[in-house]
Amino acid sequence: MNAPVDVSFFPRAAKPLTSYRKFWAARFGTVPHLPMSRAEMDKLGWDSCDIVLVTGDAYVDHPSFGMAVIGRMLEAQGFRVGIIAQPDWQSAEPFRVLGKPNLFWGVTAGNMDSMINRYTADRKIRTDDAYTPGDVGGKRPDRAAIVYSQRCREAFKDVPIILGGIEGSLRRIAHYDYWSDKVRRSIVVDAKCDLLLYGNAERALVEVAHRLAAREPIEAITDVRGTAFVRRTDDDSRLGWFEITSTSVDEPGRIESHINPYQTTSEQAAGQGSSCAKEDGQGVTDSVATGPEDKRAAGQFSSNSPVATAAAQPLTFYANPALTSGRLKLPPRERSVIRLPSYEQVKADPVLYAHANRVLHLETNPGNARALVQAHGEGATARDVWINPPPIPLTTAEMDYVFDLPYARAPHPSYADENGSHDGATKIPAWEMIRFSVNIMRGCFGGCTFCSITEHEGRIIQSRSEDSIIKEIEDIRDKVKGFTGTISDLGGPTANMYRLGCKSPEIEAACRKPSCVYPGVCQNLGTDHHPLVQIYRRGRALKGIKKILIGSGVRYDLAVLSPEYVKELVQHHVGGYLKIAPEHTEQGPLSKMMKPGIGTYDKFKTLFDKFTAEAGKKQFLIPYFIAAHPGTTDEDMMNLAIWLKKHGFRADQVQTFYPSPMATATTMYHTGRNPLRGVRREVQSDDDTVDVVRGEKRRRLHKAFLRYHDASNWPLLREALKAMGRSDLIGNGKHHLIPTWQPLGDDGYQSARKKNSTPSGAKPQSAVAAKPVKGRMLTQHTGLPPRDTGTSSAKPSRRPR
């Protein structure tokens, strides 16, 4: 077994969450739900709220919802906390509903980035919102964190604003914005917040709350890890820091050769392409006599002259003071700050943007990360966005403390329907998904470039204790309405990183690798899955628990190292289908994703099939793939489609690459450079650049290759395959990718999200012929004939010979 998480240096580097003296309002005790109205406050006997949280999600009092965790954590510290959920942002009045906060506003866009929540990867507006009652879209504004902050300032201008959540985390520096296709400023500048808390912010928020309660001005709180704020360039608080400038890309300059102290005049002249003597043994002319030896050779110095005496003395070497310890002496990391290229620089120069992103990702380990600073503006308006090092991860005891708080595990009563239930028209899909699930850990050391988990939660795994997890399963069984005996998930960002971590605390604190499992599993990584297997077995042995499913993604390159875990997973925790994410089959895109090769998937599938057969079950693997990821060529997608057909996979839902802010793959998309390698001004090899899939047509093509079986994609694929010189894949045999014939009505591409609705002006369904017309092809998904809208007089298409 690998060493427990608590033996690392991190617990010794931070004040425990439970060590603070509670605020005086702790005498009010805990509440069933945090209040959302003045009437609820009156019922509790509150005259005001110490802290008011504003969120873009509906308020669900469950540990999977960040605002509930923050609210309950602050409540446990003795503060009175109110919540304003999904307020009308058209005016400041809805933000005054709970009165003026005594300490600060806490603002977040919600569990999801507001732009990703509202727009598809094709920048189309979604009509749904899983975090809203009734799955209704449009209940939050675009860039909700900025809008909410502005309204809070209008409501009570002298109350500090603390911004948090994933939307703030991913925008803490100047970042590429996919929706406007430009580089935007740090959200700290745009939102005009007093403090930004990035990552899982319990530790930072508790410290800041107590310091504000002690009447410390928020302008003076500049030393908390996991925070970002605006600092004027003439601020005295920046004194005492060692600034390391990293505002430019390293470029090779003029190379100066070392001086050879034993070089003769003749050799020096020969190296310069000239000669100082007609032949050996002859003197040097006065015109080239420049040094003491030259003049001595010309007879201008006597043997007892001062110069001759000095020249005869032996050389004395002195040690470089900076190298006396055997290594270059650097300023202390805890007082060092790296200056990134300014917002104006990264906006104008993609190479500098890639450089800044690389530096940011190298400074993410809490054990060795340094502060970052980035200038915004010029002249009198210039100010710096100062980003302190990441927060210290929570210990196992602190994780238990957070998840054992008195959550109601249900939406706020104000969302209930006329029957007092949350299962009808007001059902919140996101809550329904996690209603019977248990979060057992945080963080991910996978480092996938398209994912933002590491940037938000960090790469150090923070695990709960086994007893705490079992207690939550029992609470779901005994207290949650509608429980039928099935736990929908035991997981987190990944299903099988529970209690995994570095074997050496010293190496863990010093490591700067972006991934512990790419290009292979690190030799210093503990991969023992036995603690997780033990939880699975103990959980399914509980009375009243019929089944424990695993809904989180399984990191299969780790799972194959523990056949015991794969056997337990396959034989007891799969409900017929198991979803995993190889993402691609070709090495080009996989190297840009930092994902293992498809051979690792084959190893996992072999174990999966073996243990499935031993259990006498019929179960299937469902692989997930990404289309249009940076580094993916058209040939890569064609080869993936061939692999899918060879293995009999038909993808119903296709995931197209979505450039989220601050992700490494987003930097590739914006700059065309590969920040996984050293960023250079001049391209020196093909690995320095990335093939970026831009434009609607090419993104559609890559998506169509994943849905090669959809007849609506065949015209686009035929055109592309002919242009690629692969017409041999077009035909009606089993070895062909797509056929030469086209079903009636499927003459163009349609989005997978487009609903199968009858066009306007069409006849009602009752007018459709009851029987298929002879010779007309049946549709692929339903087996029913195509709808006859009465608008087409085309003859039925016939399949060619």
Side-chain angles (χ1 to χ4, degrees):
M1 293 178 60
N2 55 294
V5 177
D6 290 359
V7 303
S8 73
F9 91 104
F10 296 119
R12 305 193 298 272
K15 187 175 180 179
L17 293 176
T18 55
S19 63
Y20 293 86
R21 181 179 180 182
K22 290 189 176 183
F23 192 59
W24 68 266
R27 66 189 66 177
F28 287 100
T30 59
V31 297
H33 283 85
L34 302 179
M36 293 179 60
S37 66
R38 176 67 73 169
E40 293 176 75
M41 290 172 56
D42 294 339
K43 189 175 180 180
L44 296 170
W46 296 4
D47 61 341
S48 62
C49 288
D50 300 311
I51 300 158
V52 174
L53 305 178
V54 181
T55 176
D57 294 338
Y59 169 35
V60 180
D61 200 51
H62 188 283
S64 292
F65 285 74
M67 197 55 19
V69 173
I70 292 300
R72 290 296 186 182
M73 171 63 65
L74 291 171
E75 179 191 54
Q77 298 293 323
F79 300 102
R80 293 168 295 178
V81 183
I83 288 188
I84 301 177
Q86 297 186 320
D88 181 3
W89 66 91
Q90 303 301 327
S91 71
E93 196 58 35
F95 292 77
R96 300 188 179 102
V97 64
L98 299 181
K100 182 178 179 179
N102 298 327
L103 297 179
F104 64 86
W105 294 100
V107 178
T108 178
N111 272 19
M112 283 184 66
D113 184 283
S114 62
M115 301 300 287
I116 296 176
N117 178 275
R118 192 170 183 217
Y119 294 91
T120 68
D122 297 325
R123 298 190 181 97
K124 304 284 177 45
I125 295 180
R126 302 185 194 271
T127 58
D128 54 357
D129 185 347
Y131 293 88
T132 301
D135 200 16
V136 179
K139 291 295 184 180
R140 76 187 82 205
D142 289 353
R143 313 187 199 286
I146 297 176
V147 176
Y148 289 159
S149 297
Q150 293 171 343
R151 290 292 180 256
C152 288
R153 188 71 74 194
E154 293 175 24
F156 302 104
K157 62 183 300 182
D158 57 336
V159 177
I161 297 175
I162 298 179
L163 189 63
I166 193 167
E167 183 163 313
S169 287
L170 302 188
R171 289 171 166 79
R172 56 186 184 260
I173 65 168
H175 56 280
Y176 172 72
D177 185 80
Y178 171 65
W179 303 272
S180 59
D181 194 24
K182 66 179 183 180
V183 177
R184 289 180 62 95
R185 301 183 297 182
S186 166
I187 197 172
V188 182
V189 176
D190 285 342
K192 296 181 174 62
C193 62
D194 296 281
L195 206 60
L196 166 68
L197 273 56
Y198 66 88
N200 294 120
E202 292 96 343
R203 193 182 298 284
L205 190 61
V206 167
E207 179 178 350
V208 170
H210 281 287
R211 290 172 68 170
L212 289 175
R215 302 305 178 198
E216 185 175 347
I218 195 166
E219 296 82 9
I221 304 178
T222 61
D223 57 343
V224 179
R225 297 181 68 110
T227 63
F229 49 89
V230 170
R231 215 172 209 164
R232 292 290 178 180
T233 55
D234 57 353
D235 191 341
D236 291 341
S237 63
R238 64 189 301 124
L239 300 177
W241 285 84
F242 299 90
E243 185 173 298
I244 301 172
T245 302
S246 186
T247 56
S248 62
V249 179
D250 293 336
E251 297 182 6
R254 179 182 176 183
I255 300 176
E256 300 286 352
S257 60
H258 293 288
I259 298 175
N260 182 358
Y262 307 108
Q263 188 178 39
T264 65
T265 305
S266 300
E267 292 171 342
Q268 181 181 4
Q272 296 174 351
S274 61
S275 175
C276 61
K278 293 182 179 180
E279 59 183 10
D280 293 339
Q282 292 186 351
V284 183
T285 62
D286 293 341
S287 61
V288 296
T290 57
E293 289 198 13
D294 300 329
K295 294 182 179 181
R296 184 181 304 110
Q300 297 183 18
F301 292 141
S302 63
S303 60
N304 58 354
S305 67
V307 175
T309 304
Q313 304 231 345
L315 296 174
T316 304
F317 294 93
Y318 296 93
N320 188 337
L323 302 176
T324 54
S325 61
R327 55 181 299 178
L328 185 64
K329 187 175 182 180
L330 296 175
R333 302 184 77 88
E334 64 274 8
R335 298 299 296 172
S336 298
V337 58
I338 299 176
R339 179 166 291 279
L340 300 174
S342 68
Y343 159 70
E344 286 75 18
Q345 287 178 298
V346 299
K347 181 181 179 181
D349 190 345
V351 176
L352 285 181
Y353 184 99
H355 167 71
N357 182 268
R358 177 176 170 83
V359 174
L360 173 78
H361 284 83
L362 287 174
E363 302 295 331
T364 56
N365 184 350
N368 59 25
R370 290 163 288 194
L372 304 174
V373 62
Q374 185 176 52
H376 284 64
E378 298 174 344
T381 62
R383 62 268 207 203
D384 287 339
V385 173
W386 192 284
I387 305 172
N388 283 328
I392 300 298
L394 300 184
T395 64
T396 297
E398 289 174 321
M399 284 286 288
D400 291 351
Y401 173 68
V402 170
F403 283 88
D404 291 346
L405 294 171
Y407 302 99
R409 302 191 69 89
H412 191 272
S414 62
Y415 302 129
D417 55 23
E418 60 276 6
N419 300 320
S421 172
H422 299 283
D423 296 324
T426 61
K427 181 167 61 176
I428 302 172
W431 169 69
E432 187 69 22
M433 182 182 300
I434 53 86
R435 187 175 181 179
F436 307 120
S437 69
V438 179
N439 195 325
I440 65 175
M441 46 79 68
R442 285 180 182 170
C444 178
F445 49 71
C448 300
T449 60
F450 52 82
C451 181
S452 301
I453 291 175
T454 301
E455 286 79 5
H456 183 60
E457 294 193 0
R459 65 178 185 176
I460 307 297
I461 302 302
Q462 305 159 70
S463 303
R464 298 170 61 186
S465 69
E466 183 178 315
D467 290 341
S468 176
I469 296 169
I470 296 301
K471 179 180 178 296
E472 185 170 350
I473 295 176
E474 293 174 335
D475 286 344
I476 294 175
R477 177 195 64 189
D478 301 336
K479 301 176 183 179
V480 177
K481 181 181 176 182
F483 181 67
T484 59
T486 300
I487 298 294
S488 60
D489 186 27
L490 281 183
T494 58
N496 59 320
M497 287 188 183
Y498 177 77
R499 283 203 173 277
L500 300 189
C502 194
K503 299 175 183 177
S504 167
E506 292 76 16
I507 294 177
E508 180 183 52
C511 182
R512 292 165 63 86
K513 291 178 60 177
S515 172
C516 299
V517 290
Y518 183 85
V521 177
C522 179
Q523 61 181 359
N524 296 311
L525 180 67
T527 59
D528 183 15
H529 284 58
H530 181 73
L532 185 56
V533 173
Q534 183 65 25
I535 288 179
Y536 288 178
R537 291 172 178 171
R538 185 176 169 185
R540 62 185 173 88
L542 291 174
K543 183 179 179 180
I545 302 299
K546 299 177 182 177
K547 187 86 172 177
I548 294 180
L549 300 175
I550 303 304
S552 301
V554 175
R555 188 79 194 200
Y556 57 89
D557 50 346
L558 290 173
V560 296
L561 302 178
S562 178
E564 177 195 23
Y565 170 75
V566 179
K567 182 175 182 179
E568 173 70 21
L569 172 71
V570 171
Q571 296 188 350
H572 299 284
H573 305 282
V574 175
Y577 299 91
L578 179 65
K579 298 178 181 178
I580 60 173
E583 309 298 2
H584 217 284
T585 59
E586 305 305 299
Q587 191 57 37
L590 287 174
S591 66
K592 306 303 184 296
M593 300 175 184
M594 291 208 301
K595 291 284 288 186
I598 198 66
T600 309
Y601 165 82
D602 294 333
K603 294 177 182 178
F604 181 81
K605 187 176 186 304
T606 300
L607 291 175
F608 181 89
D609 293 341
K610 173 187 175 183
F611 294 130
T612 296
E614 289 181 2
K617 296 182 176 182
K618 194 173 184 180
Q619 300 179 145
F620 305 93
L621 277 180
I622 306 297
Y624 270 55
F625 298 95
I626 293 181
H629 190 280
T632 309
T633 64
D634 298 347
E635 288 75 15
D636 290 333
M637 292 305 302
M638 177 191 68
N639 292 332
L640 173 55
I642 294 172
W643 185 92
L644 289 171
K645 183 166 186 179
K646 177 181 177 181
H647 291 82
F649 288 119
R650 293 189 171 193
D652 288 330
Q653 295 180 344
V654 175
Q655 182 180 4
T656 308
F657 170 67
Y658 205 147
S660 60
M662 215 171 81
T664 301
T666 302
T667 298
M668 298 179 188
Y669 178 87
H670 170 57
T671 66
R673 294 300 187 95
N674 184 5
L676 298 177
R677 297 173 57 88
V679 179
R680 306 177 181 89
R681 177 65 61 184
E682 301 295 333
V683 176
Q684 298 183 7
S685 68
D686 292 340
D687 291 335
D688 291 342
T689 59
V690 178
D691 183 9
V692 178
V693 184
R694 293 185 180 274
E696 181 182 357
K697 182 175 181 180
R698 195 171 177 212
R699 286 173 67 88
R700 279 175 46 195
L701 173 63
H702 283 215
K703 193 173 181 179
F705 270 120
L706 279 182
R707 289 184 55 81
Y708 68 92
H709 55 278
D710 190 342
S712 62
N713 292 326
W714 293 348
L716 182 63
L717 292 177
R718 288 193 198 99
E719 178 186 353
L721 289 174
K722 290 177 182 177
M724 295 163 63
R726 293 305 306 268
S727 299
D728 57 298
L729 295 176
I730 306 172
N732 304 315
K734 292 183 178 180
H735 61 283
H736 293 110
L737 183 62
I738 57 174
T740 57
W741 53 273
Q742 188 71 27
L744 180 65
D746 291 325
D747 56 352
Y749 174 86
Q750 292 183 2
S751 170
R753 291 179 59 90
K754 187 173 182 180
K755 297 181 179 178
N756 186 25
S757 57
T758 304
S760 60
K763 294 182 180 180
Q765 184 67 24
S766 59
V768 180
K771 295 182 179 180
V773 178
K774 184 177 180 181
R776 181 176 294 178
M777 297 300 300
L778 299 182
T779 58
Q780 162 190 352
H781 298 292
T782 63
L784 299 176
R787 293 176 179 173
D788 185 359
T789 63
T791 60
S792 175
S793 59
K795 295 181 180 180
S797 62
R798 296 185 179 275
R799 182 172 178 174
R801 295 177 182 176

